[in-house]
Amino acid sequence: MAQGTPIPDDHAALLQAIARHRERAAFAVLFRVFAPRVKAWMIRSGAADTVAEELAQETLLAVWQKADQFDPGRAGVSAWIFTIARNQRIDALRRERYPGTLLPDPDSGGAAEPVPPESAVAMAEQEARIRAALAGLPAEQAAVVRKAYFEDKAHAEIEQELCIPLGTVKSRLRLAITQLRAALADRP
């Protein structure tokens, strides 16, 4: 390795320094090492150069914010950072694919269109049906649904937050969706 390039064990130490002491110098080293790699990976994944740059910065910002969640017993630093990068890429693709699902920026100053009364009633009824269907789910399934759909979290994030295997996250989500469909299909 080139002189001055940290070895992988040093990466874990740098990440721990960020988690424990919010050391900017440690973050600067990780940023210099991983930002170009993440950007190159994003470009290979099909992202435009400017998008790849933004996603690399968002990834490293998430590394700074989530440094205390790093567990060296579960993954190496590189694998952990690229998992975050992958999640950032997936979130970006979701934003591209479903731009209309994002809420308008409240600071934009534009007035919202008035909702016709019959639409407001229909929306309220549908919301009540969904809440009732969610209440009928087992607590474990409801928690996964809330994180996936209401908090828009990736499966890997849910795995980390709930401390359950990824396969369990997916199984609970699949079972919950099946039960929700059945519960919502039974009602008018």
Side-chain angles (χ1 to χ4, degrees), residues 126-178:
Q126 183 178 12
E127 181 180 330
R129 287 179 51 215
I130 292 170
R131 286 185 191 278
L134 272 172
L137 291 176
E140 301 85 19
Q141 291 177 12
V144 173
V145 168
R146 283 188 183 93
K147 291 195 175 294
Y149 292 102
F150 298 120
E151 297 175 26
D152 198 27
K153 300 212 179 214
H155 293 175
E157 290 176 292
I158 298 169
E159 169 194 23
Q160 289 177 349
E161 287 184 18
L162 297 179
C163 299
I164 58 176
L166 184 59
T168 303
V169 171
K170 293 180 179 196
S171 294
R172 287 181 183 173
L173 196 53
R174 186 175 53 252
L175 289 169
I177 296 302
T178 301

Side-chain angles (χ1 to χ4, degrees), residues 22-156:
R22 305 311 269 170
E23 285 189 24
R24 292 175 184 255
F27 179 72
V29 172
L30 277 181
F31 191 93
R32 278 193 306 272
V33 171
F34 285 100
R37 293 177 186 177
V38 170
K39 180 180 176 185
W41 180 81
M42 292 290 181
I43 290 171
R44 284 192 308 272
S45 298
D49 190 59
T50 54
V51 172
E53 180 78 28
E54 288 175 16
L55 290 172
Q57 290 179 8
E58 288 176 20
T59 298
L60 273 294
L61 176 61
V63 167
W64 171 264
Q65 294 169 337
K66 298 178 180 186
D68 60 329
Q69 295 176 11
F70 173 69
D71 180 1
R74 292 186 69 190
V77 174
S78 183
W80 186 72
I81 290 174
F82 277 91
T83 298
I84 293 172
R86 183 183 137 277
N87 292 339
Q88 292 289 338
R89 178 74 175 134
I90 290 169
D91 290 345
L93 290 170
R94 283 181 185 157
R95 285 190 299 267
E96 286 175 20
R97 190 170 296 139
Y98 305 109
T101 60
L102 299 176
L103 296 174
D105 183 4
D107 296 333
S108 65
E113 293 290 321
V115 177
E118 58 276 353
S119 294
V121 169
M123 287 173 28
E125 289 173 354
Q126 183 178 12
E127 181 180 330
R129 287 179 51 215
I130 292 170
R131 286 185 191 278
L134 272 172
L137 291 176
E140 301 85 19
Q141 291 177 12
V144 173
V145 168
R146 283 188 183 93
K147 291 195 175 294
Y149 292 102
F150 298 120
E151 297 175 26
D152 198 27
K153 300 212 179 214
H155 293 175

